Amino acid sequence: MEQQTGAAHLGHVRRIARGVRRWLAPPRGSARPTRRPSTLVYGLDDKVPLSTLVPLSVQHAMLALTFLIYPLVAASEAHLGAHEMQAVMTACTMSMGLATILQSARTRIGSGYLGVHIPSPSGLPLAVQALTLGGPPLMAATTLMVGVCQVFMARLARPMRILAPPEVCGVAVLMLGMSLAGPALRRALGLEGGAALVRPGALTVSMATLALIVGITVFAPRRFKLFAVVTGATLGWLLAVPFGVLQPDMAKTLAEVEFVDLPALALPGLTLAPSLFPLLALVVMMSFMDVLSTTVSLEKMNDADWRRADMGAAGRAISTVGLGNILNGLTTGFQCGLSSSAVGLAFATGATARIIGICAGVVIFATAFFPKAIVALTLIPSPVIGGILLYTSAYLLVAGMDLILSRRLSERRVFLVGLSILAGMSVALLPLKEQLHPAIQPLFSNPLTVAICAAMLLNLIMRIGISKESALQVEEGANAFLTVRTFLEQQGDMWGARRDVIAAAIPVAAQALEVVVDNGIAEGPVELRARFDETHLDVFVIYDGAVLEVPKERPSPEALLGDAQEVARFAAYLLKGLGDKVTFGRVGGKARIILRFDH
């Protein structure tokens, strides 16, 4: 009997081990060929020397931990005691570290990119209201519900590809930069806390920090660029002393916390408030688009031939954010999301290796056992953080423009992009939020949210009346190249196809048209047809006549001196290697050449 019980337990252990191995294994079929950008010093899968890995990881960890100011603000608004406040920040730190490790590791759980988790600014209104209405138990319950909803939303990432073409993602990344610009400028100019006048000391410190980061990034040798941000932050902190921008009670604040302490974690007593459900739904949707835009930025940074969002990786990224927030809810932590600042830091250093993210997660998690370090990092001079955020904002603005311009812009897309950006800017420039009903005010609290919602809505509206397939009857004696170029450029503008794909398709389709017309293969008029979706561009040459035969072996050059049939066979052989997929056949009594180009 004991042997049977032992065998049963052993069987359970083995099944659990198999399950863990399955989830920790790399995702199946998700990797696609990428070309490493020349600007990267350390790519996604590169090994980073320990002497470089440690400072790079610490840079990311330090920048992430400065955002603990958000749970600190929420706890202060709700007048929590010092012990409760420290417990919230410690729980948030541990969850951030574990989620960063899961996010950066190449498993079936995380995206596999250098994605660092930070307390989410968009979660601040929900946290403040929850703490005010029901204290830490209610905040824990709402954070837990946000995490569960995010895990379920991750399964909708692939179907939602239609809502997130590159121009919509570009607007999201662009507005992500704009949403960072406001807090960055307030910190850089010393306009926090309702101040109306620029503080010269704060401006000097922030501009010195920014100038050193940009100077090292642009002019320094490649090996020094890895440490641009930490060098700039160090200079800024040193200048903060003589310019008087340090917090006056810094020493007293640090003296009140222990240097080393074990985290005091306990399962909270969860409570619910239905009045917070509408705000919770808005936060989930905002976080979905925030994670999507950040993941797209990381993808594009790691692939010189980036074409479209990898929704599989985006879904895993959202799922990991959800798991991190479930952990935050169970430990009374603060809602977290992906850091766009980490994207700017990775760009500055030219290092996107996932091992950096894993080590940064370890550093963040370990910091939870050093309360004095957590508090010290929240006390980094505000102008220094402002200089770093200005750099990040500048990168995201340009990255968003690059995404938008990766497609051909028709009139529809021009207005989609322009009106969406104007909608987001209206929130930043005009006092619209106070004039709205309190239930929907959180939706208009951030330019990013408004711009993304407007872009998604306009994307659906602008798709009305666009046919995904178009045809043209080729006139007798028409120039093949000019006919194909005019047709495909017009349709490419209408569909928003990538410029390089249209440019590659034009000469190949023109050559196919010349083959059937000039060699007498077509017995009558020829029809040119094109079909487009987000993954492929198909060009059809349809005619009455014989189907072109592709020789199995390479024809000799002398075939060009033979009759029209030999010349056609030689041309068909060449065509076969020009497109991503070329087929010759007959449908409905008509012969056709199908040229496929991956998009």
Side-chain angles (χ1 to χ4, degrees):
M1 186 68 178
E2 293 180 356
Q3 290 180 347
Q4 291 179 350
T5 303
H9 284 308
L10 184 59
H12 285 304
V13 171
R14 286 175 176 171
R15 282 193 291 272
I16 293 172
R18 283 197 298 269
V20 171
R21 284 198 302 270
R22 182 168 65 88
W23 282 107
L24 294 181
R28 294 180 184 174
S30 62
R32 57 187 181 190
T34 59
R35 183 166 65 88
R36 175 181 173 145
S38 59
T39 54
L40 288 186
V41 181
Y42 296 109
L44 203 57
D45 297 305
D46 290 353
K47 294 180 179 180
V48 183
L50 187 62
S51 59
T52 303
L53 177 61
V54 172
L56 286 178
S57 303
V58 171
Q59 278 187 136
H60 279 282
M62 286 181 60
L63 183 58
L65 289 168
T66 60
F67 288 91
L68 286 172
I69 191 68
Y70 291 117
L72 189 64
V73 168
S76 301
E77 289 287 331
H79 306 291
L80 295 186
H83 179 72
E84 290 179 310
M85 195 178 296
Q86 183 177 337
V88 169
M89 295 178 65
T90 301
C92 184
T93 303
M94 295 183 70
S95 301
M96 284 165 53
L98 291 174
T100 299
I101 294 170
L102 287 175
Q103 190 71 262
S104 301
R106 190 168 183 266
T107 66
R108 295 191 183 185
I109 301 175
S111 65
Y113 292 105
L114 202 173
V116 181
H117 286 234
I118 62 168
S120 175
S122 63
L124 189 57
L126 179 61
V128 170
Q129 291 196 30
L131 285 171
T132 304
L133 291 175
L138 181 55
M139 185 184 75
T142 55
T143 305
L144 180 62
M145 290 185 66
V146 167
V148 172
C149 291
Q150 287 171 327
V151 171
F152 280 102
M153 284 285 286
R155 305 208 173 250
L156 301 178
R158 290 183 186 275
M160 289 187 71
R161 175 181 286 180
I162 191 174
L163 296 177
E167 58 269 22
V168 173
C169 293
V171 169
V173 175
L174 178 68
M175 294 308 298
L176 201 59
M178 285 192 177
S179 65
L180 284 178
L185 288 170
R186 282 193 294 272
R187 289 173 179 270
L189 300 176
L191 297 178
E192 294 179 289
L197 297 176
V198 175
R199 294 170 57 194
L203 178 61
T204 302
V205 171
S206 62
M207 289 300 102
T209 302
L210 177 63
L212 186 57
I213 295 174
V214 173
I216 294 176
T217 302
V218 175
F219 300 109
R222 203 174 195 186
R223 62 183 181 276
F224 293 121
K225 294 181 181 181
L226 297 169
F227 313 109
V229 173
V230 72
T231 306
T234 302
L235 174 66
W237 203 322
L238 292 175
L239 290 176
V241 177
F243 281 95
V245 295
L246 290 175
Q247 295 193 24
D249 56 348
M250 179 182 291
K252 179 183 176 182
T253 304
L254 289 174
E256 292 175 351
V257 295
E258 299 291 334
F259 181 74
V260 180
D261 196 7
L262 291 176
L265 301 177
L267 290 176
L270 301 177
T271 60
L272 292 175
S275 61
L276 293 180
F277 287 175
L279 178 56
L280 188 146
L282 288 175
V283 168
V284 171
M285 194 61 196
M286 289 159 59
S287 67
F288 179 91
M289 293 306 299
D290 189 19
V291 174
L292 178 61
S293 58
T294 304
T295 307
V296 167
S297 299
L298 290 168
E299 286 179 23
K300 197 170 186 299
M301 191 186 301
N302 284 280
D303 187 3
D305 296 325
W306 185 89
R307 296 183 174 185
R308 57 185 175 275
D310 181 355
M311 301 309 289
R316 294 193 301 276
I318 296 164
S319 181
T320 307
V321 171
L323 291 174
N325 284 327
I326 290 174
L327 185 58
N328 268 313
L330 293 175
T331 56
T332 320
F334 187 87
Q335 180 192 331
C336 291
L338 279 183
S339 170
S340 56
S341 301
V343 178
L345 179 54
F347 176 79
T349 58
T352 61
R354 58 171 59 93
I355 187 62
I356 298 172
I358 295 172
C359 292
V362 172
V363 173
I364 294 171
F365 181 82
T367 308
F369 296 87
F370 299 90
K372 198 179 288 288
I374 294 177
V375 175
L377 287 167
T378 63
L379 298 177
I380 289 178
S382 188
V384 177
I385 300 176
I388 297 172
L389 291 181
L390 281 174
Y391 174 83
T392 303
S393 177
Y395 164 72
L396 291 173
L397 288 172
V398 177
M401 295 175 193
D402 191 33
L403 265 175
I404 293 169
L405 296 175
S406 67
R407 295 287 186 98
R408 301 179 67 89
L409 290 179
S410 64
E411 289 85 353
R412 296 172 184 250
R413 282 171 172 76
V414 166
F415 287 111
L416 183 157
V417 172
L419 292 176
S420 301
I421 293 174
L422 286 174
M425 291 178 62
S426 67
V427 176
L429 299 176
L430 302 174
L432 299 178
K433 178 182 174 182
E434 292 74 13
Q435 304 176 34
L436 301 172
H437 190 276
I440 61 173
Q441 281 186 2
L443 181 63
F444 290 84
S445 61
N446 193 313
L448 172 66
T449 310
V450 177
I452 290 176
C453 292
M456 292 170 63
L457 178 61
L458 287 172
N459 176 55
L460 293 176
I461 294 174
M462 294 301 181
R463 295 172 70 92
I464 297 174
I466 295 181
S467 173
K468 287 301 180 182
E469 186 168 330
S470 185
L472 173 71
Q473 198 78 14
V474 180
E475 298 180 0
E476 186 176 353
N479 182 289
F481 180 82
L482 295 179
T483 301
V484 170
R485 185 179 68 179
T486 302
F487 175 65
L488 289 183
E489 285 185 347
Q490 287 178 348
Q491 292 306 129
D493 288 340
M494 183 71 71
W495 293 328
R498 289 176 53 220
R499 298 174 184 273
D500 57 328
V501 173
I502 295 295
I506 289 172
V508 180
Q511 185 171 342
L513 183 59
E514 286 179 348
V515 168
V516 299
V517 173
D518 294 350
N519 294 288
I521 306 297
E523 300 171 357
V526 178
E527 181 183 10
L528 192 63
R529 186 177 293 271
R531 184 169 59 205
F532 174 76
D533 58 33
E534 286 296 326
T535 57
H536 300 104
L537 170 67
D538 294 322
V539 182
F540 304 83
V541 178
I542 305 171
Y543 60 94
D544 289 315
V547 176
L548 288 177
E549 295 182 7
V550 183
K552 295 181 180 179
E553 297 180 358
R554 178 185 178 89
S556 64
E558 287 76 12
L560 292 173
L561 303 176
D563 57 18
Q565 292 292 334
E566 288 295 320
V567 173
R569 284 167 55 85
F570 188 91
Y573 181 86
L574 295 179
L575 279 175
K576 192 73 176 176
L578 293 178
D580 293 300
K581 183 180 179 182
V582 180
T583 56
F584 303 89
R586 185 181 298 276
V587 177
K590 287 185 174 289
R592 62 172 57 192
I593 304 172
I594 306 175
L595 309 167
R596 166 159 290 189
F597 303 90
D598 291 335
H599 192 268

